[in-house]
Amino acid sequence: MSETALTKQETRTPSTTLERAKQTPVYTPVVDIRENEREVLLQADMPGVDETSVQIDLEGRELTIRGTYRPTAPEGYTAVYQEYARGDYERVFTLGDVIDRDGIQAVMKHGVLHLTLPKAEEAQPKRIAVSAG
Amino acid sequence: MFWNMPTLGYRDVWGEFDRLQREMNRLFEPVARRARVVAEGFPPVNMWANEDEVLLTAEVPGVDPDKLEITVKNDTVILRGERPSEELKEGESYLRQERGAGTFVRTFNLPFHVDGEHVGAEYRMGILQIRLPRREEDKPKKIAVQAG
C-alpha cells in the first residue's frame, strides 16, 4: 500500500499515450490536494470548463481528469494581446488503496473542479472501547 | 566516453553535440508544447479588439464574482480581486499545493478613452470577460474630401 492516499503520476505525457483526434494543446491543470482522517480533497483549476465538459475516469488505480476546450474567440474581433492560450486539460493521478472508489464525488464551480475522495471504512482510524471485565 | 572513441576527430565531437542537442529537443518538445504562455501576472489576460471596443478576458478560476472589482478611468482599466486561500481544518494537511491565493491587481492602458457608462462584465466558468467600448468622441471619424 502506498503511504499517501493519492500520488501524482507525471512519468508519461498524456498526449502520447492517447490518440487525440483534434490538434488542441493539452495543459496540466494546477491542483491543491488536502487530506484528513476521513477523505482526500482535490481542487483543480480548469478555467473555461463546466460540469458538461469535464470528464473523470477511474480505470484500475488511475484517476484521470479531463476538461474539453471550447473556443471562445469572439466573432468580428481581432486578437491584439495574448497572455494565455486555450486548450484541453488532462492530468492523471494514482489512487492508493485507502480510497473508497465508489464514494468519489465531483463538483464543478467557477472553473474549479472539486473532488472528494473518501477513505475506505477500514482505513479510517478507530478507537476500540475497552469494557470492564 | 569520448576517450574511448579514437575514430572521432574534432569535427565529429561537435557533430556528436549537435546530435545530442537534437535528441534533447526532441525529448523535451512535448513539455515545451504544453507550457503555457508566460503571464505578466495573475490573472493572465487576453484582449480582442474591433473599431468600437476592446474585449478583455481574464482567467480567474475559483474567484467569487462578488470579489472582483473593475475600475475604469479614461484610458485605464484596473482589475482587482481576491482568491481566498483554503483554510485547513483541524487534522487536515496539504499533500500538494500548486494553486495560488491572495489579492491581485492588474492595470491596463488602452489606446483610447473608455465609455465608462457602457462597460459590461460577465463571469462564466472561471473566465471574466470585460467589454470596454470606446468613448463616442474618441472614435475615428472619416472626413470626406470634396473636389474643389
Side-chain angles (χ1 to χ4, degrees), chain B residues 53-57 70 72 77 114-123 128-133:
Chain B
E53 57 189 17
V54 160
L55 284 183
L56 187 153
T57 59
I70 303 154
V72 176
V77 182
V114 177
D115 178 1
E117 297 294 310
H118 295 97
V119 172
E122 63 178 283
Y123 181 80
L128 173 73
Q129 179 174 302
I130 312 170
R131 185 181 294 270
L132 301 154

Side-chain angles (χ1 to χ4, degrees), chain A residues 31 33 45 48 77 83 85, chain B residues 36 53 95-96 98-99 106:
Chain A
V31 298
I33 304 172
D45 280 352
Y77 293 84
E83 287 180 355
Chain B
R36 310 201 62 153
E53 57 189 17
L95 298 180
R96 185 167 282 273
E98 298 169 353
R99 301 164 71 238
R106 290 206 66 184

